[in-house]
């Protein structure tokens, strides 16, 4: 006969009553399971000396000796207080040794065993949860299909919901790609890993298996399909998210910013460097901005906008230079403004085409932009003060005729751009320029011609 330590009572157990008080003098009976037939327990692992039945607990509510039970035999324990009132009962209690080991009708065969370690030999078939293999091949992972012994398979198929793989073995000797395809047969499957570890080298990544090889990740359509795509969402619920996508189909390659459900439609932003800075963006209305995040004439800003209407606007602040708006038209019969120039948000000049045949460069002259308009005087003195000259251009050696900018500026300051001897921050010359067709020149010439005509008419009349 072999015995093992009891799961109940065991060694040094202390019993309490239902109020949590020490069960001093309590009585512990042992019976055959499901009966009231007394069944002996033993004081030690020898199984030679039986405990009293009932076992009387000491003043601390503990069993005075250990409780050992016959291996493989089911007991029932009944606990009473010293007044023979039952505290509790526990049926089908076994010792701590091995009770039974069940195997299928085929497969592993248990060798003769008592308590403790049970030795088994043979193979456990797939139907009984085994591999059906007598040994495992290095570098291979076995997967059971529930009906037959495991074999090599071209594909590994994962079924969501049941969390099972249908392919028997995947070889890692070369790579999973060489072994076949991984197929997710269910819906809403996820491939998860540490893709956001603060240490970049610790993140889950794709990498070629061969040292020093270039890593290329490809996405292919299946069968006769002609499109594949990569989509990034900003919400774990892809049905209600903003997303960016890159896809290729039979008509082109597309980069998109879009949304689903209640997700916000976001701009498409281009940056350089880690985390920025932003260089350009398409806003949600299709306007393309370079060097700025919103369009319109904003103080102390730089950048330009290509509007979704086809207009191109240099929207730099008036501090940095005059803004520019370029319109595009396909109209050969009507007048069309091609370029608009603005200063501090107000139109100051245009380039326009008349009837599709001529191009005119014009300065704003609307009466609504002016106040205190008066007849021009002093045109004769204006013309007399100008100093027409000829010269030779340094760059080409050709002859030139006109005015010297800083000399003309003393007479016609509105027609000259820049300052005499001006240089930039690096000491390079910033050359002056003259608008020979400026309204300042033209108005004085017209005024003087009108004056001459009037005087000629007066002389002729005399």
């Amino acid at each position: 006969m072999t015995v093992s330590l009891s799961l109940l009572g065991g060694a040094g157990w202390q019993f309490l009553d239902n109020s949590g008080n020490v069960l001093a003098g309590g009585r512990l009976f042992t019976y055959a399971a499901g009966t009231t037939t007394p069944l002996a327990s033993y004081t030690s692992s020898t199984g030679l000396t039986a405990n009293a039945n009932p076992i009387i607990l000491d003043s601390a509510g503990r069993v005075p000796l250990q409780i050992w039970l016959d291996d493989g035999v089911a007991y029932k324990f009944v606990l009473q207080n010293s007044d023979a009132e039952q505290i509790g009962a526990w049926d089908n209690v076994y010792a701590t040794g091995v009770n039974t080991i069940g195997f299928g009708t085929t497969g592993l065969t248990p060798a003769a065993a008592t308590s403790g370690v049970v030795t088994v030999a043979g193979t456990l078939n797939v139907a009984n949860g085994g591999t059906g293999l007598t040994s495992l091949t290095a570098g291979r992972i076995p997967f059971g299909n529930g009906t037959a012994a495991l074999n090599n398979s071209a594909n590994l198929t994962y079924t969501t919901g049941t969390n099972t793989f249908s392919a028997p073995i995947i070889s890692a000797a070369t790579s999973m790609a060489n072994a076949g395809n991984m197929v997710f047969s269910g819906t809403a499957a996820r491939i998860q890993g540490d893709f956001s570890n603060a240490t970049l080298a610790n993140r889950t990544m794709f990498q070629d298996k061969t040292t020093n090889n270039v890593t290329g990740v490809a996405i292919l359509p299946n069968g006769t399909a002609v499109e594949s795509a990569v989509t990034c969402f900003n919400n774990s619920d892809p049905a209600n998210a903003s997303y960016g996508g890159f896809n290729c189909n039979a008509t082109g390659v597309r980069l998109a910013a879009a949304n689903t459900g209640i997700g916000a439609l976001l701009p498409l932003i281009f940056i350089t460097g880690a985390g920025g800075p932003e260089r350009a963006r398409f806003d949600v209305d299709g306007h393309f901005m370079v060097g700025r995040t919103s369009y319109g004439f904003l103080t102390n800003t730089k950048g330009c906008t290509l509007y979704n209407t086809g207009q191109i606007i240099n929207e730099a602040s008036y501090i940095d230079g005059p803004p520019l708006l370029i319109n595009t038209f396909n109209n050969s019969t009507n007048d069309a403004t091609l370029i608009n120039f603005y200063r501090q948000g107000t139109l100051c000049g245009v380039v326009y085409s008349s009837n599709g045949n001529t191009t005119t460069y014009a300065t704003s002259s609307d009466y609504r932009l002016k106040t205190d308009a008066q007849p021009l005087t002093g045109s004769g003195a204006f013309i007399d003060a100008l100093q027409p000259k000829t010269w030779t251009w340094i760059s080409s050696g050709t002859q030139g005729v006109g005015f010297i900018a800083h000399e003309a500026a003393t007479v016609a300051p509105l027609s000259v751009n820049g300052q005499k001897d001006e240089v930039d921050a690096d000491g390079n010359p910033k050359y002056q320029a003259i608008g020979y067709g400026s309204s300042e020149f033209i108005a004085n010439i017209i005024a003087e011609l009108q004056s001459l005509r009037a005087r000629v008419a007066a002389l002729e009349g005399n």
Side-chain angles (χ1 to χ4, degrees):
M1 179 182 69
T2 60
V3 294
S4 297
L5 192 65
S6 173
L7 291 173
L8 193 151
W13 270 46
Q14 183 181 48
F15 291 88
L16 306 176
D17 63 18
N18 291 333
S19 298
N21 300 313
V22 171
L23 196 61
R27 304 193 301 175
L28 185 62
F29 295 85
T30 56
Y31 302 102
T35 72
T36 56
T37 302
L39 184 61
S41 66
Y42 301 92
T43 62
S44 70
S45 61
T46 63
L48 299 177
T49 305
N51 280 308
N53 198 358
I55 299 171
I56 305 301
L57 306 181
D58 62 18
S59 61
R62 299 183 186 279
V63 294
L65 300 169
Q66 297 179 357
I67 302 176
W68 291 72
L69 307 179
D70 280 336
D71 285 337
V73 177
Y75 283 73
K76 179 172 77 173
F77 284 76
V78 175
L79 179 65
Q80 297 179 351
N81 62 19
S82 58
D83 295 327
E85 297 172 336
Q86 183 168 312
I87 302 299
W90 300 270
D91 209 349
N92 293 306
V93 176
Y94 291 90
T96 56
V98 176
N99 174 29
T100 59
I101 298 179
F103 293 93
T105 56
T106 60
L108 298 178
T109 304
T114 55
S115 63
V117 177
V118 175
T119 302
V120 293
T123 62
L124 183 60
N125 63 20
V126 176
N128 290 330
T131 65
L133 303 175
T134 57
S135 63
L136 295 178
T137 303
R140 293 176 177 266
I141 304 173
F143 294 96
N145 61 16
T147 58
L150 304 180
N151 296 300
N152 288 318
S153 173
N155 299 322
L156 173 64
T157 301
Y158 178 76
T159 303
T160 56
T162 58
N163 298 322
T164 59
F165 287 96
S166 64
I169 298 178
I170 288 295
S171 172
T174 53
S175 70
M176 181 173 287
N178 289 341
N181 301 323
M182 176 181 285
V183 180
F184 293 84
S185 63
T187 60
R190 303 287 187 269
I191 297 176
Q192 296 183 333
D194 186 352
F195 294 100
S196 58
N197 194 291
T199 302
L200 288 176
N202 292 338
R203 294 182 182 180
T204 301
M205 298 183 183
F206 292 99
Q207 186 177 54
D208 193 272
K209 65 184 180 63
T210 303
T211 302
N212 300 327
N213 267 17
V214 174
T215 299
V217 178
I219 300 176
L220 302 174
N222 203 338
T224 59
V226 294
E227 183 169 353
S228 59
V230 176
T231 306
C232 300
F233 295 90
N234 69 353
N235 193 322
S236 59
D237 175 12
N240 293 285
S242 309
Y243 71 87
F246 176 85
N247 75 319
C248 178
N249 60 25
T251 60
V253 178
R254 296 181 293 182
L255 182 65
N259 65 315
T260 61
I262 61 174
L265 182 60
L266 300 178
L268 183 61
I269 298 174
F270 300 87
I271 65 172
T272 57
E278 178 178 330
R279 300 302 188 186
R281 67 165 56 195
F282 282 98
D283 72 6
V284 296
D285 295 318
H287 306 309
F288 180 63
M289 289 161 278
V290 178
R292 61 196 297 120
T293 58
S294 58
Y295 59 88
F297 298 110
L298 307 174
T299 303
N300 297 323
T301 61
K302 298 180 180 181
C304 65
T305 300
L306 171 60
Y307 283 74
N308 61 12
T309 57
Q311 296 174 318
I312 302 175
I313 302 181
N314 171 13
E315 297 173 312
S317 159
Y318 60 84
I319 292 176
D320 299 308
L324 172 69
L325 182 150
I326 301 176
N327 300 305
T328 58
F329 296 93
N330 184 19
N331 188 330
S332 60
T333 58
N334 299 322
D335 291 351
T337 299
L338 303 178
I339 302 177
N340 293 55
F341 297 90
Y342 291 85
R343 183 175 178 81
Q344 300 183 27
T346 301
L347 182 70
C348 59
V350 297
V351 176
Y352 67 92
S353 175
S354 299
N355 299 320
N357 296 315
T358 63
T359 299
T360 302
Y361 301 83
T363 298
S364 295
S365 191
D366 194 292
Y367 77 95
R368 292 166 294 182
L369 298 173
K370 306 171 183 179
T371 184
D372 194 27
Q374 299 292 330
L376 176 64
T377 61
S379 58
F382 176 92
I383 291 174
D384 291 341
L386 292 173
Q387 304 176 52
K389 293 183 178 178
T390 64
W391 59 81
T392 299
W393 290 107
I394 295 174
S395 61
S396 63
T398 58
Q399 293 298 303
V401 61
F403 302 105
I404 304 301
H406 70 275
E407 294 176 349
T410 62
V411 181
L414 301 179
S415 303
V416 179
N417 175 259
Q419 303 295 323
K420 182 177 182 292
D421 298 324
E422 186 177 5
V423 296
D424 62 18
D426 296 322
N428 300 312
K430 295 181 68 174
Y431 298 114
Q432 289 181 281
I434 293 180
Y436 286 103
S438 71
S439 59
E440 188 176 25
F441 278 123
I442 299 301
N444 276 282
I445 292 171
I446 295 299
E448 186 60 17
L449 284 175
Q450 289 175 339
S451 175
L452 290 173
R453 283 174 56 81
R455 284 178 287 179
V456 170
L459 291 173
E460 291 177 345
N462 291 331

